[in-house]
Amino acid sequence: MECWVAAFNAGDMETIAGLYHEDAINHQVANEPVAGRENIKRMFQDEFSAAEMVCIVENLFEDGQWAILEWRDSLGLRGCGFFQVVDEKIRFQRGYWDKLSFLKLHNLPI
């Protein structure tokens, strides 16, 4: 998880993508699920091209295959993510955050 946060904060799409299984699923509940490492990489590329994002860790819990990340950003948005890690790669990720607040904070179209 520390590698994921560091890569996210660096905007390093190659490293982020390499942390996922080839057939991983990333489901940010404000959006449709994204399946496959390459599609997840494109998702992050699109998001980082639209807004400057940062992940400030509030809490990180790990138990077996699961990690829970509670985060905030520098603009005050808060959220959490659930990560299933299998064979040291992310197999499944689900994130919860307020999309409307994100769009408003970054002056993006609603």
Side-chain angles (χ1 to χ4, degrees), residues 4-103:
W4 186 93
V5 170
F8 185 93
N9 287 338
D12 182 348
M13 301 320 136
E14 293 299 324
T15 299
I16 289 173
L19 296 172
Y20 289 85
H21 277 271
E22 189 69 34
D23 61 349
I25 295 174
N26 184 317
H27 184 196
Q28 301 302 303
V29 297
N31 303 317
E32 293 297 316
V34 176
R37 178 187 295 151
E38 286 304 310
N39 292 329
I40 291 169
K41 179 181 173 182
R42 278 191 290 280
M43 175 195 76
F44 281 114
Q45 287 171 331
D46 291 346
E47 290 174 351
F48 276 92
S49 69
E52 185 176 329
M53 297 185 297
V54 64
C55 176
I56 301 166
V57 176
E58 292 281 308
N59 289 293
L60 179 59
F61 304 96
E62 296 179 0
D63 186 23
Q65 290 185 348
W66 290 94
I68 302 169
L69 170 64
E70 183 182 19
W71 57 266
R72 65 180 171 86
D73 70 8
S74 55
L75 300 176
L77 186 68
R78 292 180 175 275
C80 65
F82 295 80
F83 298 77
Q84 182 187 30
V85 179
V86 178
D87 298 326
E88 298 189 25
K89 299 269 185 191
I90 300 166
R91 167 131 356 248
F92 179 79
Q93 177 183 354
R94 178 166 288 137
Y96 297 90
W97 46 276
D98 180 2
K99 186 173 185 174
L100 181 57
S101 294
F102 176 84
L103 295 172

